[in-house]
Amino acid sequence: AFWIIWLSQLCYNWEKHILTFSFISLCCLSALIFLLDLSYFVARSKTCGELRLAHVGQEVTLCGWIQYKRHEQFVVLRDFQGLTQILIPQVEAASHLRKLFSDAPVESVVRVTGIVIPRPPGQANPRMQTGDIEVKAETAEVLNYCKKLPFEIKDFTKKTEALRMQYRYLDLRSIQMQYNLRLRSQVVMRMREYLCNCYDFVDVETPTLFKKTPGGAKEFVVPSREAGKFYSLPQSPQQFKQLLMVGGLDRYFQVARCYRDEGSKPDRQPEFTQIDIEMSFVDQDGILALIEGMLQYSWPKEKGLIKIPFPSITYDEALSTYGTDKPDTRFGMKIVDVSHILRNVDVGFLQNSLREPHGTVKAICIPQGAVSEAICGNSPLGKFLNEEQKSELIRTVEANMEDVVLLAAGQHKKVCSALGKLRLKSAELLEAKGLLFRDPSAFHFLWVVEFPLFLPKEENPVELEAAHHPFTAPHPLDEHLLYSDPSQVRGQHYDLVLNGNEIGGGSIRIHNAKQQRFILETVLKEDTELLFHLLEALESGAPPHGGIALGLDRLICLLVGGSSIRDVIAFPKSFKGRDLMSNAPDYVDPQELEPYHVQVTWPLTEAKARTN
Amino acid sequence: AFWIIWLSQLCYNWEKHILTFSFISLCCLSALIFLLDLSYFVARSKTCGELRLAHVGQEVTLCGWIQYKRHEQFVVLRDFQGLTQILIPQVEAASHLRKLFSDAPVESVVRVTGIVIPRPPGQANPRMQTGDIEVKAETAEVLNYCKKLPFEIKDFTKKTEALRMQYRYLDLRSIQMQYNLRLRSQVVMRMREYLCNCYDFVDVETPTLFKKTPGGAKEFVVPSREAGKFYSLPQSPQQFKQLLMVGGLDRYFQVARCYRDEGSKPDRQPEFTQIDIEMSFVDQDGILALIEGMLQYSWPKEKGLIKIPFPSITYDEALSTYGTDKPDTRFGMKIVDVSHILRNVDVGFLQNSLREPHGTVKAICIPQGAVSEAICGNSPLGKFLNEEQKSELIRTVEANMEDVVLLAAGQHKKVCSALGKLRLKSAELLEAKGLLFRDPSAFHFLWVVEFPLFLPKEENPVELEAAHHPFTAPHPLDEHLLYSDPSQVRGQHYDLVLNGNEIGGGSIRIHNAKQQRFILETVLKEDTELLFHLLEALESGAPPHGGIALGLDRLICLLVGGSSIRDVIAFPKSFKGRDLMSNAPDYVDPQELEPYHVQVTWPLTEAKARTN
């Protein structure tokens, strides 16, 4: 199955680029099949997934795990490619084979050599890829016996996640994990082909033992052998990618390991992977087109074609229409302004809300909200509306019979945000009731652009902080506002959203040292000491440049429909950051800390417990 | 130049696999050139390396750095692809262009649009790829002015390495660094194609926040938010790759970041990269063939073809013949046993040496050692040899006139090791004198096999330690010795040596839990507590498996003829482990250490200095 996918992608690649060479026809492609050989270098001659009627009569050697055994006559062998039924001859001469398989518990590893034969009439299994044949065993060897397992492999998904993670090496044998990890590998390989082979990007590895970035509160520290000095595990290669552009690399990418210490958060990992990209002499449109092309090129064919270019929405529009900067555009239920209809309705809280600065009344219409009984509600507001107002409201929100209309009044951002959350919650409730709102196989990409460059600090709203990071260039039309009203400046930042999840973000960077220094020192009041090398680099002939980073774990998780990014990571950490298999992190002998000049400061309770 | 290489490799790949499809001829391949577009998505229409006479008459836009300026009339523009001469028209209407270029210092970044014209007769520059043409500027813009630089880019290699590292973003602009990083990226991409696309290896990312391995004294620790508990940055994904095999992944690879804290060692980096590979159901021959194929496939054409299979030598033979387990086989000067000739020579130290256990007398012959005056020496030993002994010695070591013969007597290992070092030192001395011994463009690969599985511990030679790591399987012929005389057991370990440098190593692993436990507990006396999960995994249906890891930094360094691995790493650390550009590692606010429950233990002198 894997090479079929791979071939069709190859085919597609060629179609796109060499239209004139249609004579490279299917007959040629079928020859290419032999490129991908799964049994070179190893003890098997075939995998457990590839035998068909065409192989009947061949002698083959298979290696795999005993999936199950039946009547001392049949053994189903499993490897990463599939299942093959082994027939144990019932003649006296094969009694040693019967004993061998009878002694080997399920999940033992065996090598079997035998002849491919067709299954007897009526016994073919159409649900099995190899269901037309079986292999009549001639010789066999148990390569490794399996002791009792903590659970059956086939029943896997019923186990708790903690058990799956403790015995991850068993969990990996499940069809779903095999599929997820292989798909991830293939998608990344396709991205590399697109970047490296089609567009000459340079894969550059950047250090992970670096220095704390300003405000990098979520960075792990690594003690060095110099007393008091620490490396820091960076949250992204941001500084390095920019310095590579200053160094004239022109086009950089890296599948980069990044680190973020967020304590205990579900669906976050202390280490994660991003597809990290930077280009020189590029503008926003260039980056967006590059990424659209890359995702189209690397998208698995079995998941359907994705259409490019992706739609785009401004930050302001996203907030007004969906109440969030990462809208799920797989369904409508958009937020509609109904202030003009309710402006003259004599209800205190409406009037008060509309009098506020940025006061507004907005609505969403939940189709079939009443019929599904998922969303209840009976508002007295109806009493205060006249017929004309009622029908205008219904017309404006495009409500039908049995729909439910939700209204909210207040300050613009809060109203939108609240209705945005209700929109998602309503969709979930309706889906729980069986109304299919969002096609689980649909992939709706969306660019969100024109973010504000700065946001008021939460702890002190008079001061500003970078909405994303301090290296984002201002929107060319807003540059003059930097010096007069920085809070109004839009940045050249873009987020990529898939089905309501942010899967990437990037920006055109500041390449002018003076502008960068002004923003750091005057707008953000940051200490530029820590970024001295970057400012110096910008003064040394930095080209205009920009880039993006895609969160690979989340992207693949959405692609395979996983329930958590842990489903697409071979050895994930628990939500507390623990490796349940090896029990990391773990205590370390104080003596081993000596060369690093650190010692543990035990919390009081624990210190007491340890001295008792 | 880049796509030419790439194409020829593509061509090669096809030739190898699809002999029958020769009709995919050169005309088809030339169409493929358009696959690799260097000017998509960006502000230029061409790069500075690609304009030829065929482009004359075209309007082009170039972006790049001002390499130099001449007579206010010529500007040479540089980008990652090459150089192009810009002609500034000397007419009045172009005076703004003259001013623009005159105001822009060297290394400023500019965008120029103009018409490609042929250079006047006699002014073509054959040493320049684009030397037949120049671009007559129509419009230009300075994208970023460059301030004074700490050194001129073109003079670069004369600067100290410390300066190069402090201004790494400028160093990266040098032709050599651009070449090195691009070649590295291309070689790795080819390896990925071979592994992923040809042989269905799965690229799996394994954690770098892990747990200390037994005896992992060189592992960096990372404090976690749980008091007293630390992650460890692993030296290799060894355990994970084995667990992936237990998990049925079948074929794993990863370009893996690894960490080793070796303090201050020249030509070592605290973080480094290895091509990490593991396969199930494989034997030693399978792994060797896989790696030979991969290196042949990924080897840059400009560096010549490499012949496979690589020669192979046993550890014992390597030691006897070259005095080292990583012989440089680019030259002879082999160690020859001359014990039989000198056995009857009446010299005390010879007699004493030969009486020792493993006592021996060995020699190397240094061709032209006398003539070159590099190796002096006049031994009184000649006096004690009769003519027959002399001529037999000369015949045995194949000495010619003007050669120098070096003899050593003593215990076998020590004698070989000493002569091995002298062999290398002599080659260096002769080369310093201008005698070319080793072709710097030759690549001599060599497998070293049949290493001892265990070695006596240095601090206590009665105890044994793993020669490589405790997971290496014993040689099948020696398995019975495990229980009687483990020091005599050879392991299924293999090292790959290139021109006298170890560039990789691997082994067939133990898949039998009982054998693994016996080696850990009884032979090595290790605490198996820390490896409980691995032992449990081996009991749960672990397939036979083996693998290898290649040191990517060293391999690429040898490939480009670099003087240190720092020449093939974008942002290397100094030999003290420092990043001289950003000044990492650095002091950290004690407050930032609080969540990690660690504090610095200042050495006395420093603590005093800080309290004063």
Side-chain angles (χ1 to χ4, degrees):
Chain A
F2 286 114
W3 43 261
I4 292 294
I5 296 158
W6 181 78
L7 267 184
S8 60
Q9 289 180 341
L10 188 69
C11 201
Y12 163 73
N13 175 12
W14 283 3
E15 266 170 35
K16 190 174 160 195
H17 291 285
I18 329 172
L19 290 169
T20 48
F21 288 88
S22 55
F23 69 82
I24 304 175
S25 60
L26 269 178
C27 73
C28 166
L29 286 175
S30 66
L32 276 169
I33 291 175
F34 300 109
L35 273 177
L36 188 63
D37 199 301
L38 304 168
S39 300
Y40 266 22
F41 312 116
V42 289
R44 64 176 170 251
S45 69
K46 294 284 176 193
T47 68
C48 294
E50 62 182 309
L51 294 177
R52 301 288 183 274
L53 282 176
H55 299 96
V56 164
Q58 288 185 17
E59 186 184 80
V60 296
T61 299
L62 305 177
C63 292
W65 285 258
I66 297 177
Q67 176 94 347
Y68 55 84
K69 306 191 276 187
R70 213 169 59 218
H71 312 134
E72 299 205 333
Q73 193 178 0
F74 297 107
V75 170
V76 172
L77 209 62
R78 184 194 73 235
D79 71 8
F80 66 99
Q81 270 257 310
L83 302 167
T84 298
Q85 181 163 290
I86 309 295
L87 173 70
I88 310 169
Q90 298 300 298
V91 294
E92 181 54 32
S95 62
H96 65 287
L97 287 177
R98 284 199 298 282
K99 175 156 180 12
L100 179 145
F101 282 109
S102 139
D103 289 352
V106 162
E107 291 302 315
S108 293
V109 185
V110 293
R111 182 176 59 217
V112 182
T113 298
I115 302 288
V116 183
I117 57 172
R119 293 205 189 178
Q123 291 189 26
N125 182 347
R127 282 171 305 142
M128 214 169 154
Q129 281 180 300
T130 62
D132 287 330
I133 58 91
E134 55 197 1
V135 172
K136 190 174 163 190
E138 290 172 335
T139 60
E141 185 187 352
V142 178
L143 301 172
N144 212 352
Y145 287 92
C146 180
K147 289 207 170 174
K148 203 179 172 313
L149 295 176
F151 41 74
E152 282 187 65
I153 300 295
K154 52 187 174 185
D155 272 344
F156 208 80
T157 44
K158 289 179 203 157
K159 308 302 158 212
T160 65
E161 198 180 30
L163 201 62
R164 286 177 57 195
M165 286 177 61
Q166 189 186 343
Y167 296 96
R168 190 59 164 182
Y169 48 87
L170 297 178
D171 188 28
L172 292 177
R173 291 185 194 162
S174 68
I175 292 172
Q176 193 58 51
M177 281 308 300
Q178 289 273 331
Y179 175 79
N180 292 358
L181 293 184
R182 283 166 196 278
L183 190 86
R184 179 179 178 135
S185 168
Q186 286 161 10
V187 169
V188 172
M189 186 62 199
R190 295 281 294 167
M191 289 178 173
R192 290 179 179 279
E193 288 171 8
Y194 176 87
L195 293 169
C196 257
N197 293 352
C198 299
Y199 294 111
D200 207 34
F201 277 73
V202 188
D203 180 3
V204 182
E205 298 174 64
T206 58
T208 57
L209 292 173
F210 193 46
K211 175 178 163 135
K212 252 187 139 50
T213 43
K218 290 171 175 172
E219 289 176 9
F220 287 102
V221 291
V222 182
S224 78
R225 282 171 190 260
E226 292 185 72
K229 290 192 174 181
F230 293 79
Y231 298 106
S232 178
L233 299 176
Q235 294 186 48
S236 89
Q238 183 64 32
Q239 288 185 46
F240 292 113
K241 67 203 270 195
Q242 294 195 236
L243 291 168
L244 286 172
M245 295 303 104
V246 180
L249 259 286
D250 200 67
R251 295 173 172 210
Y252 145 89
F253 90 101
Q254 184 183 194
V255 181
R257 190 69 58 91
C258 303
Y259 300 85
R260 199 182 296 151
D261 179 17
E262 308 203 84
S264 302
K265 275 201 181 174
D267 219 23
R268 290 283 174 104
Q269 290 281 307
E271 50 184 320
F272 57 97
T273 304
Q274 65 187 38
I275 308 288
D276 199 48
I277 289 171
E278 196 82 7
M279 288 175 92
S280 293
F281 308 112
V282 75
D283 60 10
Q284 177 165 316
D285 288 347
I287 297 283
L288 304 198
L290 174 83
I291 296 303
E292 287 164 351
M294 182 181 81
L295 286 169
Q296 192 183 56
Y297 183 94
S298 59
W299 209 250
K301 283 295 156 290
E302 69 214 76
K303 298 290 178 185
L305 275 175
I306 56 176
K307 253 175 63 181
I308 62 170
F310 301 151
S312 161
I313 192 173
T314 66
Y315 171 82
D316 282 347
E317 200 186 334
L319 208 68
S320 313
T321 315
Y322 299 100
T324 173
D325 59 359
K326 43 180 184 181
D328 187 345
T329 49
R330 284 176 298 175
F331 66 107
M333 242 199 254
K334 293 181 186 177
I335 300 170
V336 180
D337 194 322
V338 291
S339 306
H340 60 288
I341 304 166
L342 299 170
R343 193 166 298 278
N344 300 321
V345 176
D346 190 21
V347 176
F349 81 91
L350 287 179
Q351 293 307 321
N352 292 341
S353 297
L354 286 167
R355 265 198 301 272
E356 272 183 59
H358 308 291
T360 186
V361 186
K362 294 186 185 279
I364 56 171
C365 169
I366 304 166
Q368 312 224 53
V371 112
S372 71
E373 287 169 29
I375 291 112
C376 341
N378 206 342
S379 161
L381 187 69
K383 288 191 291 197
F384 297 95
L385 298 183
N386 60 35
E387 281 315 305
E388 196 188 328
Q389 288 167 328
K390 274 185 191 168
S391 65
E392 197 180 346
L393 182 62
I394 285 168
R395 208 167 46 241
T396 305
V397 302
E398 296 175 16
N400 295 312
M401 286 295 285
E402 314 288 2
D403 289 0
V404 166
V405 176
L406 297 180
L407 290 150
Q411 192 260 332
H412 175 76
K413 273 196 180 171
K414 283 184 187 161
V415 162
C416 291
S417 171
L419 285 177
K421 281 175 192 145
L422 280 171
R423 174 178 175 268
L424 287 177
K425 193 71 201 162
S426 303
E428 271 170 39
L429 287 171
L430 289 171
E431 283 175 357
K433 285 280 170 187
L435 278 164
L436 194 67
F437 247 69
R438 296 169 290 193
D439 179 356
S441 71
F443 295 102
H444 283 239
F445 286 96
L446 178 73
W447 290 110
V448 182
V449 297
E450 297 185 16
F451 281 80
L453 189 53
F454 308 109
L455 292 172
K457 275 189 188 167
E458 240 175 84
E459 63 277 20
N460 178 10
V462 184
E463 288 179 21
L464 293 176
E465 62 185 2
H468 293 94
H469 58 59
F471 315 116
T472 306
H475 195 291
L477 297 176
D478 296 354
E479 253 176 73
H480 62 286
L481 293 171
L482 260 186
Y483 310 95
S484 54
D485 191 359
S487 71
Q488 292 306 304
V489 177
R490 290 165 299 171
Q492 292 192 60
H493 177 95
Y494 27 85
D495 265 0
L496 181 56
V497 173
L498 172 56
N499 295 353
N501 299 275
E502 185 202 323
I503 58 159
S507 60
I508 301 302
R509 327 295 184 187
I510 299 167
H511 63 271
N512 180 304
K514 223 170 110 186
Q515 190 179 67
Q516 182 69 75
R517 189 168 273 121
F518 177 82
I519 286 177
L520 284 169
E521 288 175 356
T522 312
V523 181
L524 300 173
K525 320 240 183 296
E526 291 263 14
D527 176 11
T528 49
E529 184 72 26
L530 285 167
L531 289 171
F532 181 73
H533 55 285
L534 189 71
L535 289 166
E536 219 178 0
L538 294 184
E539 284 173 347
S540 314
H545 60 287
I548 194 166
L550 303 186
L552 183 64
D553 305 300
R554 191 160 309 279
L555 175 64
I556 303 292
C557 181
L558 290 168
L559 189 48
V560 302
S563 60
S564 138
I565 57 170
R566 289 186 292 278
D567 285 343
V568 296
I569 295 174
F571 298 99
K573 303 264 192 304
S574 76
F575 83 101
K576 285 198 170 166
R578 291 214 189 105
D579 178 319
L580 299 182
M581 184 181 66
S582 74
N583 196 29
D586 204 356
Y587 296 110
V588 165
D589 194 329
Q591 198 182 309
E592 298 192 50
L593 297 177
E594 261 172 37
Y596 300 109
H597 310 280
V598 291
Q599 62 184 34
V600 176
T601 47
W602 295 101
L604 270 182
T605 48
E606 236 171 296
K608 236 183 239 170
R610 291 174 78 89
T611 50
N612 286 347
Chain B
F2 286 113
W3 44 258
I4 292 295
I5 297 159
W6 182 77
L7 267 184
S8 61
Q9 291 180 338
L10 188 69
C11 201
Y12 163 74
N13 175 13
W14 282 2
E15 265 169 35
K16 191 175 158 194
H17 292 286
I18 329 172
L19 289 169
T20 49
F21 287 88
S22 55
F23 68 81
I24 304 175
S25 61
L26 269 176
C27 73
C28 166
L29 286 174
S30 65
L32 277 169
I33 291 175
F34 300 108
L35 274 177
L36 188 63
D37 200 303
L38 305 168
S39 299
Y40 266 22
F41 311 119
V42 289
R44 63 175 170 253
S45 69
K46 295 284 175 192
T47 68
C48 294
E50 62 182 310
L51 294 177
R52 300 288 183 275
L53 282 175
H55 298 97
V56 164
Q58 287 186 19
E59 186 184 80
V60 296
T61 298
L62 304 178
C63 292
W65 285 258
I66 297 178
Q67 175 93 348
Y68 54 85
K69 307 191 277 187
R70 213 169 60 217
H71 310 135
E72 298 206 335
Q73 193 179 358
F74 297 107
V75 170
V76 172
L77 208 62
R78 185 196 71 237
D79 71 7
F80 66 100
Q81 270 257 309
L83 303 167
T84 298
Q85 181 162 287
I86 309 295
L87 172 70
I88 311 169
Q90 297 301 301
V91 295
E92 181 54 32
S95 61
H96 64 288
L97 286 177
R98 284 200 298 283
K99 176 157 178 15
L100 178 144
F101 281 109
S102 140
D103 289 352
V106 161
E107 291 302 314
S108 292
V109 185
V110 293
R111 183 176 59 216
V112 182
T113 299
I115 301 288
V116 184
I117 57 172
R119 293 207 189 175
Q123 290 190 25
N125 181 349
R127 282 171 304 143
M128 214 170 153
Q129 281 181 302
T130 62
D132 288 330
I133 57 92
E134 54 196 2
V135 172
K136 191 174 163 191
E138 290 173 334
T139 59
E141 185 187 351
V142 177
L143 300 172
N144 212 351
Y145 288 92
C146 178
K147 290 207 172 177
K148 202 176 172 316
L149 296 174
F151 43 74
E152 283 187 65
I153 300 295
K154 51 186 172 183
D155 272 345
F156 208 82
T157 44
K158 289 179 204 158
K159 307 304 158 211
T160 65
E161 198 180 29
L163 201 62
R164 286 178 56 195
M165 284 176 64
Q166 191 186 342
Y167 296 96
R168 189 60 165 181
Y169 47 86
L170 297 178
D171 189 29
L172 292 177
R173 290 185 195 161
S174 68
I175 292 171
Q176 194 57 52
M177 281 308 301
Q178 289 273 330
Y179 176 79
N180 292 359
L181 293 183
R182 282 166 197 279
L183 190 85
R184 179 180 177 133
S185 167
Q186 285 162 10
V187 169
V188 173
M189 186 62 199
R190 294 281 295 167
M191 289 177 174
R192 291 179 180 279
E193 287 170 9
Y194 176 87
L195 293 168
C196 256
N197 292 352
C198 299
Y199 294 111
D200 206 33
F201 277 73
V202 188
D203 179 4
V204 181
E205 299 173 63
T206 58
T208 57
L209 292 173
F210 193 47
K211 175 178 163 134
K212 252 189 138 49
T213 42
K218 290 171 176 172
E219 289 176 9
F220 287 102
V221 292
V222 182
S224 77
R225 283 171 189 259
E226 292 186 71
K229 290 193 174 181
F230 293 79
Y231 297 107
S232 178
L233 299 176
Q235 295 185 47
S236 89
Q238 183 63 34
Q239 288 185 46
F240 292 113
K241 67 202 272 195
Q242 293 196 238
L243 290 168
L244 286 172
M245 295 304 103
V246 180
L249 260 285
D250 199 65
R251 296 175 172 210
Y252 145 87
F253 89 102
Q254 183 182 195
V255 181
R257 189 70 58 91
C258 304
Y259 301 85
R260 198 182 297 152
D261 180 17
E262 306 203 85
S264 301
K265 275 202 183 174
D267 219 25
R268 289 283 175 104
Q269 290 281 306
E271 49 184 320
F272 57 96
T273 304
Q274 65 187 38
I275 308 288
D276 199 49
I277 288 172
E278 196 82 7
M279 288 177 92
S280 293
F281 308 112
V282 76
D283 59 12
Q284 178 166 313
D285 288 346
I287 297 284
L288 304 198
L290 174 84
I291 296 303
E292 288 164 349
M294 182 180 82
L295 286 169
Q296 190 183 60
Y297 184 94
S298 59
W299 208 250
K301 283 295 158 287
E302 71 216 72
K303 298 289 178 187
L305 276 173
I306 55 176
K307 254 176 61 182
I308 62 171
F310 301 151
S312 162
I313 193 173
T314 66
Y315 171 81
D316 283 345
E317 201 187 334
L319 208 68
S320 313
T321 316
Y322 300 100
T324 173
D325 60 359
K326 42 182 184 178
D328 187 344
T329 49
R330 284 176 299 173
F331 66 107
M333 242 198 257
K334 295 181 185 176
I335 301 171
V336 181
D337 195 320
V338 292
S339 308
H340 59 289
I341 304 166
L342 298 170
R343 192 167 298 281
N344 301 320
V345 176
D346 188 20
V347 176
F349 81 93
L350 288 179
Q351 294 306 321
N352 291 340
S353 298
L354 286 166
R355 266 195 300 271
E356 273 182 57
H358 308 292
T360 187
V361 187
K362 294 188 186 277
I364 56 171
C365 169
I366 305 166
Q368 311 224 50
V371 113
S372 71
E373 288 168 31
I375 291 113
C376 340
N378 204 344
S379 162
L381 188 67
K383 288 190 290 197
F384 298 95
L385 299 182
N386 60 34
E387 281 315 306
E388 197 188 328
Q389 286 167 331
K390 274 185 191 167
S391 65
E392 196 181 347
L393 183 60
I394 285 167
R395 209 167 45 243
T396 306
V397 303
E398 296 175 17
N400 296 313
M401 287 294 286
E402 314 290 2
D403 289 0
V404 166
V405 176
L406 297 180
L407 291 150
Q411 193 258 332
H412 175 76
K413 273 196 181 172
K414 282 184 187 161
V415 162
C416 292
S417 170
L419 286 176
K421 281 174 193 148
L422 282 170
R423 174 178 175 268
L424 288 177
K425 192 71 199 162
S426 305
E428 271 170 39
L429 287 170
L430 289 170
E431 283 175 356
K433 285 280 171 186
L435 278 164
L436 194 67
F437 246 70
R438 295 170 291 192
D439 179 356
S441 71
F443 295 101
H444 283 238
F445 286 96
L446 178 73
W447 290 111
V448 182
V449 298
E450 298 186 14
F451 280 81
L453 189 54
F454 308 109
L455 292 173
K457 275 189 190 170
E458 241 174 84
E459 64 277 20
N460 178 10
V462 184
E463 287 179 19
L464 293 176
E465 62 186 1
H468 293 93
H469 58 58
F471 315 116
T472 306
H475 195 291
L477 296 176
D478 297 353
E479 253 176 76
H480 62 286
L481 292 171
L482 260 185
Y483 309 94
S484 54
D485 190 359
S487 71
Q488 293 305 307
V489 177
R490 290 165 298 169
Q492 293 192 59
H493 177 95
Y494 27 85
D495 265 0
L496 181 57
V497 173
L498 171 56
N499 296 353
N501 298 275
E502 186 202 323
I503 57 161
S507 60
I508 302 302
R509 328 295 183 186
I510 298 167
H511 64 271
N512 180 304
K514 223 170 111 188
Q515 191 179 66
Q516 182 70 75
R517 188 169 274 121
F518 177 81
I519 286 178
L520 285 169
E521 287 174 356
T522 310
V523 182
L524 299 174
K525 321 241 183 295
E526 291 263 14
D527 176 10
T528 49
E529 182 74 25
L530 285 168
L531 289 170
F532 181 74
H533 54 286
L534 189 72
L535 288 166
E536 218 179 2
L538 293 184
E539 285 174 345
S540 313
H545 61 288
I548 194 167
L550 302 187
L552 183 64
D553 305 299
R554 191 160 307 279
L555 174 64
I556 302 291
C557 182
L558 290 168
L559 190 49
V560 302
S563 59
S564 138
I565 56 170
R566 290 186 292 278
D567 286 343
V568 297
I569 295 173
F571 298 100
K573 303 263 192 306
S574 77
F575 83 102
K576 286 197 168 165
R578 291 214 189 103
D579 179 319
L580 299 182
M581 184 181 65
S582 73
N583 196 29
D586 204 356
Y587 296 110
V588 164
D589 193 332
Q591 199 180 308
E592 298 191 52
L593 297 177
E594 261 172 38
Y596 300 108
H597 311 279
V598 292
Q599 62 184 36
V600 177
T601 47
W602 295 100
L604 270 183
T605 49
E606 236 171 295
K608 237 183 239 171
R610 292 175 77 90
T611 51
N612 286 350

